[in-house]
Amino acid sequence: MKRTVPLLISAVTGFVLIGTAFIPMFEEWGNDAMAWFNLLAAFAFILGGGNLLKMQLQKISAQQAGWGYAAVTLIAFFVTLFVGLAKVGVHPNAKFPEYSWSGNYLEEGGAFWWFFEYIFTPLSATMFALLAFYISSAAFRAFRAKNTEATILLIIAVIVLLGRTYASEWLTGGFPNEPIFGEGGITYSDFKLDHLSQIIMDDFTTPGMRAIKIGIALGVASTSLKVLLGVDRSYLGSDQEA
Amino acid sequence: MKQSTIIWTLLMVFGGLGLISVQLFRGKGEVYVREVPVEAKSSSKTSPEQTYRWSTYQEVSAKEKDDPGISFSFSRTLGLWVAAFCTLAIFSFLYGDNPLYKFTEAVFVGVSAAYAMVVGFWTEIVTNLYAKLLPELARMSFFPDMESDVHSDLLYLIPLVLSVLLLWRLAPKGNWIARWPLAFFIGATAGIRLISYLETDFIGQLQSTVMPFIVFSADGSMLWFKSLKNTVVIVGVTSCMVYFFFSVEHEGIVKYISRLGIWFLMVTFGASFAYTVMGRIALLSGRLDFLFNEWLGI
């Protein structure tokens, strides 16, 4: 029951979904499974919220170091959850005004919208913006043209970075549109940084990206088969679990 | 306390006070809105006609603040200041881990978790479960525009049961039962991804790579640039795949081809790195634009 049934469930679900791709008659099954999958994902968020609650409450009750921040997390969690679920400040749908719950939960001016606009968005954007500093300092420390491979990576990164900014115009904007050798053919302006950056992005990154994508696809296929055939059972956890 | 810590703290405190005083003095950091009255008539044909009235508010630029119908919005102004505080608090991490950063980090964790739950609740649980199982009730509460001939789809009892089993994981005993919905989740992911990845990323990419080395135009002349481009792609993909092929030793000719593959991969990584940096810089400039333009109005 603890291990055999889940293995059967995953194998049957997976192989049925693979089968639906080859039998058009059962294509609808695939859509149903996707809808169920999304529903389970929504419930997984509730599970995640419950787990967060459990962990933070444990921290507070044990008065661990930084338990005050756990309390802040819980307050922020409950307030956002309440205003979102209760649709605080949301007006009904104008076509059906007598149905007070018919409005959009993210309506502009509503309390949940306020939390999204003024807390969630600035915090998430700034968190990712912080990476600009760390990525730059890491690159400054790690990028050294020690061998051919590192030199290629460095040169390409610099060309693409400069080519996508105003520095391209500033550094190479003056290159004339005149042929280098005789009439026609390659011109000086072909070596402008923005043009080189475009060529690199269009032609020279394609082979690497394609090879990586092919490798990923093969990896996904083999890992999926391992899971469906029961060779990889790591998702079931250990036998000791209650 | 170290001398440098005291200096930095004083700088930050005075900087913050300076910003606040500049804001108060210049009257910036305020949000103005235009009131848009809404008048809606009852949709029910059986009940007596009733008119419902309320107002929505549209944000306008500060230049229009003296126009008729424009008013100061306290909630949005407060929001602007909260957003500025959150942005500065996160940036304070550049100086080092500090209570201000930890506070906003804790807020971020709580708000993000609740946000994901609320979005999942309204977009999935209510729309795709409650409305499918109890369409009549859904029509009377959240979706009055739902068609009246929709009947309950009892097949959706399966994901409901699986979801309840998934939540069982939080129970102190018998939480192994949560493996069943997890197995469905894993099986569905594996089945869907296996086909989609093979179709788009494996077959699709191979198909795009199978192309002529030499390309001719309609009049029979050779297209040099197109031919060179195709050759670069074919040689590049082949050499990269040779590098990824570890079933043969990379010796002799294979060594040279795989070396070429590494060079192509380095080009890809260099460009990807540059793009990642550009993306983060764009986010950073967005935040700085918010601080200096929207908040400070400089």
Side-chain angles (χ1 to χ4, degrees), chain B residues 247-261:
Chain B
S247 298
V248 290
E249 276 204 48
H250 289 192
E251 282 178 348
I253 184 80
V254 178
K255 181 183 159 189
Y256 294 108
I257 298 173
S258 71
R259 190 85 196 273
L260 184 66

Side-chain angles (χ1 to χ4, degrees), chain B residues 23 42 61 63 88 108 116 134 150 153 160 176 183 186 218 262 264 268 272 283 289 291-292 294:
Chain B
Q23 290 286 42
S42 166
S61 71
K63 287 175 199 162
L88 290 174
F108 184 47
L134 302 163
V150 178
D153 189 349
L160 177 66
W176 58 267
I186 298 283
I262 295 174
F264 270 103
T268 310
S272 302
L283 269 176
D289 178 60
L291 285 177
F292 290 111
E294 281 183 54

Side-chain angles (χ1 to χ4, degrees), chain A residues 2 6 10 14 34 37 40 43 73 84-85 94-95 98-99 108 114 122 149 164 203 208 210-211 227 236 238 242, chain B residues 40 43-44 52 75-76 106 122 140 163 175-176 179 183-184 186-187 189 192 205 229 233 240 259 268 275 287:
Chain A
K2 285 185 183 178
S10 79
M34 270 308 287
F37 178 89
L40 272 175
F43 274 94
T73 303
L85 294 182
K95 286 181 189 165
E98 67 271 36
Y99 295 91
E108 186 179 338
W114 192 94
E149 287 81 12
R164 300 273 155 163
D203 302 330
R210 253 179 214 173
V227 168
L236 294 176
S238 65
Chain B
S43 64
S44 171
Y52 297 81
S75 67
R76 293 184 196 220
W122 288 115
M140 285 194 300
S163 304
N175 55 18
W176 58 267
R179 287 174 182 171
F184 172 81
I186 298 283
T189 311
I192 293 163
Q205 297 298 334
K229 193 175 161 179
V233 171
C240 288
R259 190 85 196 273
T268 310
Y275 253 66
R287 293 325 296 159

Side-chain angles (χ1 to χ4, degrees), chain A residues 1-3 5-6 9-10 13-14 17-18 21-22 34-47 49-52 69 72-73 76-77 80-81 84-85 87 91-92 94-99 101-102 105 108-109 112-114 116 118-120 122-135 139 143 148-149 152-153 156-157 160-161 164-165 200-201 203-205 207-214 216-218 220-221 224-225 227-228 235-236 238 241-242, chain B residues 40-44 52 54-55 57 75-76 79-80 82-83 86-87 90-91 93-94 99 101-103 106-125 129 139-142 144-145 155-156 158-159 163 166-167 169-170 175-176 179-180 182-192 194-195 197-198 201-202 205-206 208-209 229 232-233 236-237 240-241 244 259 262-264 266-271 273-278 280 283-284 287:
Chain A
M1 283 288 271
K2 285 185 183 178
R3 295 185 78 84
V5 175
I9 292 174
S10 79
T13 313
L17 282 176
I18 291 170
F22 298 97
M34 270 308 287
W36 296 3
F37 178 89
N38 291 336
L39 265 172
L40 272 175
F43 274 94
F45 279 123
I46 297 178
L47 181 68
N51 212 25
L52 177 84
Y69 298 117
V72 171
T73 303
F77 175 74
T80 315
L81 196 63
L85 294 182
K87 289 192 176 179
H91 297 104
K95 286 181 189 165
F96 308 95
E98 67 271 36
Y99 295 91
W101 285 86
S102 59
Y105 69 98
E108 186 179 338
F112 189 62
W113 169 84
W114 192 94
F116 174 75
Y118 296 118
I119 297 184
F120 181 76
L123 282 177
S124 55
T126 317
M127 282 275 185
F128 283 108
L130 264 191
L131 290 180
F133 292 98
Y134 294 111
I135 213 168
F143 273 14
T148 318
E149 287 81 12
I152 293 172
L153 193 142
I156 297 295
V160 174
L161 259 176
R164 300 273 155 163
T165 58
I200 289 168
M201 293 310 294
D203 302 330
F204 286 92
T205 58
M209 282 313 292
R210 253 179 214 173
I212 291 169
K213 277 185 177 176
I214 291 170
I216 290 173
L218 288 174
V220 168
S224 299
L225 279 176
V227 168
L228 297 183
Y235 67 94
L236 294 176
S238 65
E241 277 184 37
Chain B
K41 286 200 166 61
S42 166
S43 64
S44 171
Y52 297 81
W54 65 85
S55 293
Y57 296 90
S75 67
R76 293 184 196 220
L80 187 71
V82 169
C86 290
T87 306
I90 296 291
F91 276 142
F93 188 72
L94 290 171
Y101 172 77
K102 280 182 183 166
F103 174 80
V107 170
F108 184 47
V109 172
V111 171
S112 307
Y115 176 77
M117 274 175 76
V118 170
V119 172
F121 178 78
W122 288 115
T123 58
E124 287 299 331
I125 297 172
L129 185 68
R139 198 176 302 117
M140 285 194 300
S141 50
F142 306 116
D145 52 346
L155 213 61
Y156 274 78
I158 301 172
S163 304
L166 187 69
L167 294 180
R169 192 164 181 84
L170 292 171
N175 55 18
W176 58 267
R179 287 174 182 171
W180 292 12
L182 190 68
F184 172 81
F185 208 81
I186 298 283
T189 311
I192 293 163
L194 188 135
I195 294 296
Y197 270 82
L198 282 183
D201 281 354
F202 184 66
Q205 297 298 334
L206 282 180
S208 311
T209 311
K229 193 175 161 179
V232 166
V233 171
V237 173
C240 288
M241 293 310 295
F244 287 144
R259 190 85 196 273
I262 295 174
W263 291 352
F264 270 103
M266 286 301 137
V267 171
T268 310
F269 294 148
F273 172 79
Y275 253 66
T276 311
V277 173
M278 292 291 284
R280 303 294 177 229
L283 269 176
L284 178 65
R287 293 325 296 159

